[in-house]
PDB file of all heavy atoms in Angstrom:
ATOM      1  N   THR A 318     -50.971  59.455 -14.778  1.00 50.00           N
ATOM      2  CA  THR A 318     -51.426  60.076 -13.543  1.00 50.00           C
ATOM      3  C   THR A 318     -50.932  59.280 -12.373  1.00 50.00           C
ATOM      4  O   THR A 318     -50.680  58.125 -12.476  1.00 50.00           O
ATOM      5  CB  THR A 318     -52.967  60.207 -13.532  1.00 50.00           C
ATOM      6  OG1 THR A 318     -53.527  58.873 -13.709  1.00 50.00           O
ATOM      7  CG2 THR A 318     -53.450  61.047 -14.639  1.00 50.00           C
ATOM      8  N   GLY A 319     -50.806  59.883 -11.232  1.00 50.00           N
ATOM      9  CA  GLY A 319     -50.334  59.163 -10.074  1.00 50.00           C
ATOM     10  C   GLY A 319     -48.799  59.290  -9.904  1.00 50.00           C
ATOM     11  O   GLY A 319     -48.197  60.036 -10.547  1.00 50.00           O
ATOM     12  N   ASN A 320     -48.329  58.447  -8.998  1.00 50.00           N
ATOM     13  CA  ASN A 320     -46.919  58.497  -8.761  1.00 50.00           C
ATOM     14  C   ASN A 320     -46.116  57.399  -9.479  1.00 50.00           C
ATOM     15  O   ASN A 320     -44.892  57.255  -9.321  1.00 50.00           O
ATOM     16  CB  ASN A 320     -46.611  58.304  -7.243  1.00 50.00           C
ATOM     17  CG  ASN A 320     -47.300  57.024  -6.606  1.00 50.00           C
ATOM     18  OD1 ASN A 320     -47.760  56.224  -7.444  1.00 50.00           O
ATOM     19  ND2 ASN A 320     -47.239  56.942  -5.367  1.00 50.00           N
ATOM     20  N   GLY A 321     -46.803  56.655 -10.350  1.00 46.00           N
ATOM     21  CA  GLY A 321     -46.138  55.622 -11.201  1.00 46.00           C
ATOM     22  C   GLY A 321     -45.890  54.299 -10.454  1.00 46.00           C
ATOM     23  O   GLY A 321     -45.344  53.382 -11.048  1.00 46.00           O
ATOM     24  N   LEU A 322     -46.290  54.206  -9.236  1.00 48.00           N
ATOM     25  CA  LEU A 322     -46.176  52.973  -8.477  1.00 48.00           C
ATOM     26  C   LEU A 322     -47.268  51.941  -8.880  1.00 48.00           C
ATOM     27  O   LEU A 322     -48.347  52.322  -9.361  1.00 48.00           O
ATOM     28  CB  LEU A 322     -46.192  53.185  -6.983  1.00 48.00           C
ATOM     29  CG  LEU A 322     -45.104  54.090  -6.447  1.00 48.00           C
ATOM     30  CD1 LEU A 322     -45.290  54.296  -4.949  1.00 48.00           C
ATOM     31  CD2 LEU A 322     -43.741  53.592  -6.742  1.00 48.00           C
ATOM     32  N   TYR A 323     -46.887  50.634  -8.684  1.00 46.00           N
ATOM     33  CA  TYR A 323     -47.872  49.626  -9.026  1.00 46.00           C
ATOM     34  C   TYR A 323     -48.990  49.571  -7.954  1.00 46.00           C
ATOM     35  O   TYR A 323     -48.730  49.571  -6.785  1.00 46.00           O
ATOM     36  CB  TYR A 323     -47.246  48.252  -9.084  1.00 46.00           C
ATOM     37  CG  TYR A 323     -48.144  47.098  -9.281  1.00 46.00           C
ATOM     38  CD1 TYR A 323     -48.715  46.877 -10.557  1.00 46.00           C
ATOM     39  CD2 TYR A 323     -48.456  46.210  -8.254  1.00 46.00           C
ATOM     40  CE1 TYR A 323     -49.529  45.838 -10.705  1.00 46.00           C
ATOM     41  CE2 TYR A 323     -49.316  45.134  -8.434  1.00 46.00           C
ATOM     42  CZ  TYR A 323     -49.849  44.957  -9.642  1.00 46.00           C
ATOM     43  OH  TYR A 323     -50.687  43.912  -9.881  1.00 46.00           O
ATOM     44  N   VAL A 324     -50.240  49.660  -8.411  1.00 50.00           N
ATOM     45  CA  VAL A 324     -51.420  49.658  -7.509  1.00 50.00           C
ATOM     46  C   VAL A 324     -52.229  48.433  -7.849  1.00 50.00           C
ATOM     47  O   VAL A 324     -52.663  48.210  -8.978  1.00 50.00           O
ATOM     48  CB  VAL A 324     -52.241  50.934  -7.698  1.00 50.00           C
ATOM     49  CG1 VAL A 324     -53.463  50.904  -6.810  1.00 50.00           C
ATOM     50  CG2 VAL A 324     -51.391  52.182  -7.468  1.00 50.00           C
ATOM     51  N   SER A 325     -52.509  47.569  -6.836  1.00 48.00           N
ATOM     52  CA  SER A 325     -53.254  46.401  -7.040  1.00 48.00           C
ATOM     53  C   SER A 325     -54.742  46.746  -7.160  1.00 48.00           C
ATOM     54  O   SER A 325     -55.286  47.673  -6.607  1.00 48.00           O
ATOM     55  CB  SER A 325     -53.091  45.466  -5.804  1.00 48.00           C
ATOM     56  OG  SER A 325     -53.918  44.337  -5.895  1.00 48.00           O
ATOM     57  N   ASP A 326     -55.464  45.832  -7.919  1.00 50.00           N
ATOM     58  CA  ASP A 326     -56.934  46.015  -8.072  1.00 50.00           C
ATOM     59  C   ASP A 326     -57.691  45.478  -6.862  1.00 50.00           C
ATOM     60  O   ASP A 326     -58.840  45.768  -6.720  1.00 50.00           O
ATOM     61  CB  ASP A 326     -57.376  45.316  -9.325  1.00 50.00           C
ATOM     62  CG  ASP A 326     -56.834  45.970 -10.574  1.00 50.00           C
ATOM     63  OD1 ASP A 326     -56.514  47.203 -10.515  1.00 50.00           O
ATOM     64  OD2 ASP A 326     -56.818  45.279 -11.632  1.00 50.00           O
TER      65      ASP A 326
END
Side-chain angles (χ1 to χ4, degrees):
T318 58
N320 56 9
L322 300 178
Y323 177 72
V324 179
S325 174
D326 292 338

